């Protein structure tokens, strides 16, 4: 049992980072302190001296932990990293669902991948950005692939069974943009990687490439350029002129990209101009980018959960969160409002950039006018988007909060819904969709092909799906706060039985239908709860119903299509997916394939005479039997 009073007494008088947890162990706030003892004590003293948002947060604290560091600078860096990783509810958060691209490296995988991600998730990957240009992110990834050969495919390459003996390389391998770890077992590497020690050395070399790519994204370009120049000179000395030219072009590409990030003229400084607008619930930061003395563009970034925060604290969080994750930091950052601990943050950004970074609050001249322009744009955009945000929030977070109130639950952040699809017992499938904070989360959708029986039994199918999801499916990070069933008491009963067997408890809600099979209310704890059909709650439930039906039907349709072809062509030895598609494209139907001559079959792309003979003989036997 965590004793807050006791833990407060033994807090050290040293710099560090503190982390607040709620009763479910979820991290709800991260902060830093010059003196942990003094700072953490402030939360548990006279609550009237705290902002309303912090008062509400303190009531939820079940326990806290802390990390002691050597300096305030280390505390600042650790705080920024932890906030980005955990996105705590009560920290003022820069919204990153606007669509700005990140570059993601999956360092938690055996052979990490690199690709563009549209949101920063709570996983163990490394994120760089956000980038204000999708093309810039793509160009950067292409440079990294050419330099280090990091893969970007979705192949699972973790255990030995994931590597195929007959794996074929993709285009990126042939054009020198991927080192192709998928080929570890294939004939393409026989004699090159033939034992465990060689495999281990290959993995080590791949990991070194990943580390260099991370350094590159952190702005350490000189090391990469030096290595490429050495390789180019070596290739030239060995008269491998084509390779030397490729390396030269790669060096030029990197220099062109980085030249936009360096100023040779001391009178032309790269700078960002940052203005802010704040209202009761939201804030908007407008940022204008000046490079080589030219205004290249501007962008806007939104903050939510800013109730009670002043302009200074919002601007502080923007500077920390945005620039600590951005691979390039300009020489000057012009701000409309001062920030907390400006000198410390300046020092942190200077260390990250590898040169002096100045945070400036202009009060006169051209710089002051630019900052004022950024503020005016921020105010206009915040006012213009206010109604849009209000409507969107009512449809999503507002509807979820209303649903929690109707059901008498503390919180319903994550909802999962399930559906079963079949036609007269053919290809029984189950599907699951997930909504978080009232929004779809397609990355958490799941498909289930029913394995335990054949025939039509929706309740048995639902039992299998729920058992697999709640008992054996380990790839989802958390259970839902609410399970929403499309049916009534029967489906609710199945869910409760499964959870009772598994020893877990999740609220389950069902639907009440009218005579025309339209939802008119909810069933919860054996009680019928009416719904206003014009309310946002009703619209949210309808969206969830439609989505789970759509997902189930699409999955079932895809299996039906595969089964119709599989019943004939996939029964022929040596006819895989590629040849099957080539045959269908060439002939148009199974009937035409069955009546084709051996010569016609041999002429199909991807076919050879042996495969054509097998197809010809297969259909000849079918004809003789009929």
């Amino acid at each position: 049992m965590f004793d807050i009073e006791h833990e407060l007494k033994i807090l050290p008088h040293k710099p560090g980072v503190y982390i607040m947890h709620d009763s479910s162990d979820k991290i709800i706030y991260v902060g830093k302190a010059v003196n942990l003892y003094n700072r953490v004590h402030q939360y548990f003293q006279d609550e009237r001296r705290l902002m309303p948002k912090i008062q509400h947060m303190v009531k939820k604290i079940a326990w806290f932990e802390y990390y002691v560091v050597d300096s305030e600078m280390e505390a600042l860096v650790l705080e920024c990293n932890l906030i980005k990783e955990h996105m705590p509810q009560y920290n003022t958060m820069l919204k990153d669902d606007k669509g700005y691209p990140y570059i993601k490296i999956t360092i938690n995988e055996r052979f990490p991948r690199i690709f563009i991600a549209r949101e920063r998730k709570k996983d163990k990957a490394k994120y760089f950005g956000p980038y204000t240009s999708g093309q810039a992110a793509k160009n950067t990834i292409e440079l990294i692939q050419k330099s280090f050969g990091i893969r970007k495919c979705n192949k699972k390459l973790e255990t030995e069974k994931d590597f195929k003996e007959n794996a074929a390389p993709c285009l990126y391998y042939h054009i020198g943009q991927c080192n192709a770890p998928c080929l570890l077992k294939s004939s393409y590497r026989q004699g090159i990687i033939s034992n465990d020690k060689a495999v281990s050395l290959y993995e080590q070399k791949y990991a070194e490439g990943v580390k260099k790519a991370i350094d590159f994204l952190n702005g350490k370009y000189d090391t990469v350029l030096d290595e490429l120049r050495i390789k180019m000179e070596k290739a030239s000395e060995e008269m491998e002129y084509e390779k030397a030219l490729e390396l030269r072009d790669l060096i030029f590409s990197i220099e062109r990209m980085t030249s936009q990030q360096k100023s040779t003229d001391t009178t032309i400084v790269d700078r960002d101009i940052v203005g802010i607008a704040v209202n009761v619930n939201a804030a908007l930061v407008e940022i204008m980018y000046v490079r080589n003395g030219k205004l290249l563009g501007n962008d806007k970034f939104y903050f939510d959960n800013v109730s009670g925060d002043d302009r200074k604290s919002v601007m502080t969080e923007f500077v920390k969160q945005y620039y600590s994750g951005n691979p390039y930091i300009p020489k000057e950052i012009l701000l409309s409002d001062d920030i907390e601990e400006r000198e410390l943050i300046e020092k942190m950004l200077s260390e990250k950039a590898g040169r002096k970074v100045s945070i400036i609050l202009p009060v006169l001249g051209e710089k002051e006018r630019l900052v004022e322009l950024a503020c005016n744009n921020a105010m206009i955009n915040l006012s213009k988007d206010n109604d849009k945000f209000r409507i969107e929030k009512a449809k999503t977070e507002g509807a979820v909060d209303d649903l929690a109130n109707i059901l008498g639950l503390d919180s319903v952040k994550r909802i999962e819904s399930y559906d079963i699809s079949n036609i007269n017992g053919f290809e029984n499938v189950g599907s699951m969709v997930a909504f978080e904070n009232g929004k779809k989360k397609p990355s958490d959708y799941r498909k289930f092909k029913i394995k335990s029986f054949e025939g039509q039994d929706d309740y048995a199918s639902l039992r299998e799906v729920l058992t697999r999801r709640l008992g054996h499916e380990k790839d989802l990070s958390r259970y839902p706060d609410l399970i929403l069933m499309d049916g009534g008491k029967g489906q609710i009963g199945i869910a409760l039985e499964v959870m009772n067997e598994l020893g877990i408890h999740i609220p389950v809600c069902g639907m009440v239908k009218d005579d025309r099979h339209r939802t008119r209310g909810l069933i919860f704890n054996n009680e019928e709860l009416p719904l206003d059909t014009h309310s946002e709650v009703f619209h949210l439930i309808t969206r969830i119903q439609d989505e789970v039906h759509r997902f189930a039907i699409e999955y079932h349709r895809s299996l039906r299509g595969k089964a119709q072809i599989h019943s004939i062509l996939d029964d022929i030895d040596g006819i895989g997916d590629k040849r099957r598609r080539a045959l269908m494209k060439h002939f148009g139907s199974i009937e035409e394939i069955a009546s084709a001559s051996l010569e016609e079959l041999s002429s199909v792309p991807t076919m050879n005479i042996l495969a054509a003979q097998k197809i010809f003989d297969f259909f000849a036997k079918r004809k003789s039997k009929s």
Side-chain angles (χ1 to χ4, degrees):
M1 185 70 179
F2 190 86
D3 186 343
I4 290 181
E5 292 296 328
H6 173 71
E7 295 296 331
L8 286 172
K9 291 177 183 178
I10 62 174
L11 279 164
H13 291 272
K14 292 183 178 181
V17 172
Y18 55 92
I19 304 170
M20 305 299 193
H21 295 257
D22 65 12
S23 57
S24 63
D25 282 349
K26 182 180 178 182
I27 293 175
I28 58 175
Y29 189 79
V30 173
K32 76 166 187 65
V34 178
N35 185 311
L36 283 167
Y37 183 93
N38 294 341
R39 184 70 185 95
V40 178
H41 268 76
Q42 291 175 1
Y43 291 100
F44 300 95
Q45 294 173 356
D46 187 358
E47 69 172 24
R48 291 174 297 180
R49 300 171 63 182
L50 302 174
M51 293 187 300
K53 182 175 77 173
I54 301 302
Q55 290 178 20
H56 193 262
M57 183 266 289
V58 171
K59 292 176 182 177
K60 289 191 173 185
I61 297 173
W63 65 283
F64 61 81
E65 60 181 319
Y66 56 87
Y67 296 94
V68 175
V69 296
D70 291 331
S71 67
E72 193 177 357
M73 168 68 73
E74 288 185 26
L76 177 61
V77 173
L78 180 58
E79 179 200 30
C80 290
N81 291 336
L82 289 174
I83 289 173
K84 283 182 175 292
E85 180 181 354
H86 298 289
M87 293 183 283
Q89 177 184 353
Y90 287 96
N91 283 92
T92 301
M93 292 302 302
L94 171 64
K95 290 174 70 71
D96 57 5
D97 57 356
K98 181 180 180 290
Y100 295 105
Y102 290 83
I103 290 178
K104 178 176 179 178
I105 298 183
T106 56
I107 58 172
N108 54 312
E109 296 179 354
R110 183 178 177 184
F111 292 99
R113 298 171 291 136
I114 184 170
F115 52 90
I116 288 177
R118 287 290 168 180
E119 61 176 326
R120 181 190 292 272
K121 296 183 178 180
K122 296 180 182 179
D123 52 20
K124 295 180 181 178
K126 272 194 173 294
Y127 291 85
F128 301 87
Y131 288 78
T132 55
S133 164
Q135 190 58 50
K138 290 178 183 177
N139 292 343
T140 303
I141 287 178
E142 186 176 343
L143 282 175
I144 287 173
Q145 283 191 286
K146 288 179 179 177
S147 303
F148 311 113
I150 301 177
R151 69 189 184 106
K152 66 175 184 179
C153 64
N154 290 324
K155 290 181 180 178
K156 183 182 177 184
L157 302 177
E158 296 297 328
T159 62
E160 293 306 310
K161 67 180 181 180
D162 296 326
F163 297 88
K164 310 299 181 185
E165 292 287 352
N166 59 346
C170 66
L171 175 64
Y172 291 104
Y173 171 78
H174 290 297
I175 63 176
Q177 290 189 22
C178 180
N179 289 332
C182 58
L183 303 183
L184 281 175
K185 274 192 176 180
S186 74
S187 59
Y188 293 91
R189 292 201 180 277
Q190 285 179 2
I192 300 174
I193 298 179
S194 55
N195 55 56
D196 291 341
K197 184 177 180 181
V199 169
S200 178
L201 289 172
Y202 178 85
E203 289 189 37
Q204 183 179 342
K205 185 176 179 181
Y206 191 93
E208 288 172 0
V210 172
K211 182 180 182 303
K212 290 177 182 179
I214 291 171
D215 288 343
F216 181 86
L217 289 169
N218 281 323
K220 298 178 182 178
Y221 308 116
D222 292 341
T223 303
V224 175
L225 286 170
D226 289 344
E227 288 186 8
L228 290 174
R229 291 188 185 105
I230 291 170
K231 289 180 180 178
M232 180 182 69
E233 290 171 4
K234 183 180 179 182
S236 180
E237 290 171 359
E238 295 176 355
M239 292 186 289
E240 296 180 3
Y241 299 119
E242 186 175 345
K243 183 178 179 181
L245 285 172
E246 289 178 358
L247 289 166
R248 184 204 65 181
D249 291 342
L250 183 56
I251 291 168
F252 285 168
S253 296
I254 295 174
E255 288 177 338
R256 276 198 302 271
M257 185 185 79
T258 58
S259 67
Q260 298 175 359
Q261 302 172 357
K262 297 176 181 177
S263 180
T264 55
D265 186 344
T266 57
T267 63
I268 302 175
V269 177
D270 285 2
R271 61 171 61 101
D272 287 352
I273 300 133
V274 185
I276 187 173
V278 179
N279 63 20
V280 177
N281 296 311
L284 186 146
V285 172
E286 184 90 10
I287 181 168
M288 299 160 55
Y289 307 101
V290 176
R291 301 293 181 263
N292 292 321
K294 296 179 181 179
L295 180 63
L296 294 187
N298 66 302
D299 265 308
K300 54 186 180 180
F301 296 86
Y302 295 94
F303 282 83
D304 55 6
N305 196 25
V306 299
S307 177
D309 294 341
D310 58 18
R311 296 170 64 92
K312 185 175 185 178
S313 62
V314 174
M315 183 65 88
T316 301
E317 291 304 320
F318 172 77
V319 173
K320 289 197 298 186
Q321 293 180 39
Y322 178 73
Y323 289 105
S324 66
N326 205 312
Y328 174 64
I329 303 171
K331 188 173 182 180
E332 290 184 357
I333 302 172
L334 310 185
L335 303 181
S336 63
D337 293 79
D338 199 2
I339 60 175
E340 300 161 6
E341 301 173 314
R342 178 161 31 123
E343 291 183 3
L344 181 64
I345 294 174
E346 250 185 359
K347 184 179 178 183
M348 179 186 75
L349 298 183
S350 297
E351 287 190 4
K352 186 176 188 298
R355 53 171 164 69
K356 174 66 176 174
V357 173
S358 299
I359 298 176
I360 301 169
L361 276 78
V363 292
L364 293 172
E366 181 65 22
K367 291 181 179 180
E368 192 274 334
R369 286 192 291 274
L370 287 171
V371 166
E372 185 179 359
L373 176 62
C375 282
N376 289 337
N377 284 337
M379 285 189 287
I380 291 168
N381 284 318
L382 185 61
S383 175
K384 181 176 65 177
D385 293 338
N386 228 12
D387 287 343
K388 182 181 75 174
F389 284 131
R390 180 178 53 78
I391 293 169
E392 178 65 20
K393 193 163 185 175
K395 289 171 60 178
T396 55
E397 295 177 31
V400 168
D401 290 342
D402 290 344
L403 178 59
N405 290 333
I406 290 171
L407 301 178
L409 301 174
D410 291 336
S411 175
V412 182
K413 297 297 183 186
R414 180 183 175 94
I415 300 172
E416 290 181 4
S417 188
Y418 302 83
D419 192 28
I420 304 299
S421 181
N422 63 64
I423 296 179
N424 296 326
F426 174 75
E427 290 287 13
N428 274 314
V429 299
S431 66
M432 182 202 90
V433 300
F435 278 60
E436 289 195 358
N437 294 318
K439 297 178 182 178
K440 294 187 290 186
K441 193 175 183 185
S443 62
D444 280 3
Y445 288 10
R446 293 293 182 269
K447 302 170 181 176
F448 302 86
K449 193 170 183 179
I450 304 303
K451 304 173 182 178
S452 58
F453 68 95
E454 293 182 0
Q456 185 171 1
D457 188 335
D458 287 355
Y459 281 177
S461 298
L462 181 61
R463 178 184 295 278
E464 179 182 329
V465 167
L466 288 168
T467 301
R468 287 166 61 184
R469 158 62 182 117
L470 300 176
H472 303 294
E473 295 287 319
K474 303 296 185 184
D475 58 338
L476 291 172
S477 60
R478 55 173 291 192
Y479 284 137
D481 301 309
L482 177 70
I483 292 175
L484 186 63
M485 292 297 186
D486 185 46
K489 293 182 178 180
Q491 289 193 5
I492 292 174
I494 295 294
L496 293 176
E497 288 176 13
V498 169
M499 286 190 287
N500 186 54
E501 292 168 4
L502 296 173
I504 59 177
H505 174 70
I506 300 168
V508 184
C509 185
M511 310 285 183
V512 182
K513 306 293 179 70
D514 62 17
D515 294 338
R516 299 172 65 181
H517 202 68
R518 297 177 303 186
T519 300
R520 72 163 191 261
L522 302 174
I523 302 175
F524 186 65
N525 291 338
N526 289 321
E527 180 182 356
E528 181 176 331
L529 304 172
L531 286 178
D532 179 358
T533 56
H534 300 290
S535 67
E536 293 296 353
V537 173
F538 183 83
H539 295 322
L540 172 63
I541 290 170
T542 301
R543 289 198 300 273
I544 295 172
Q545 280 182 291
D546 292 344
E547 183 68 1
V548 73
H549 290 329
R550 177 198 66 78
F551 191 56
I553 290 169
E554 282 187 2
Y555 180 37
H556 191 258
R557 186 182 294 131
S558 71
L559 290 180
R560 291 203 314 269
K562 290 177 183 177
Q564 288 165 359
I565 298 174
H566 170 86
S567 61
I568 299 176
L569 294 182
D570 283 2
D571 289 337
I572 306 173
D573 182 40
I575 306 303
D577 187 54
K578 288 184 180 179
R579 283 177 172 165
R580 185 188 67 207
R581 287 202 302 266
L583 287 164
M584 292 299 293
K585 183 177 180 181
H586 186 85
F587 291 104
S589 68
I590 297 294
E591 289 75 17
E592 291 294 323
I593 296 172
S595 60
S597 66
L598 182 60
E599 184 179 359
E600 289 172 328
L601 291 168
S602 301
S603 67
V604 176
T606 76
M607 297 293 291
N608 55 39
I609 188 64
L610 180 61
Q613 187 68 56
K614 288 181 178 180
I615 297 169
F616 186 82
D617 293 344
F618 177 83
F619 284 109
K621 286 182 182 178
R622 287 175 61 90
K623 289 175 185 175
S624 64
K625 289 180 181 179
S626 59

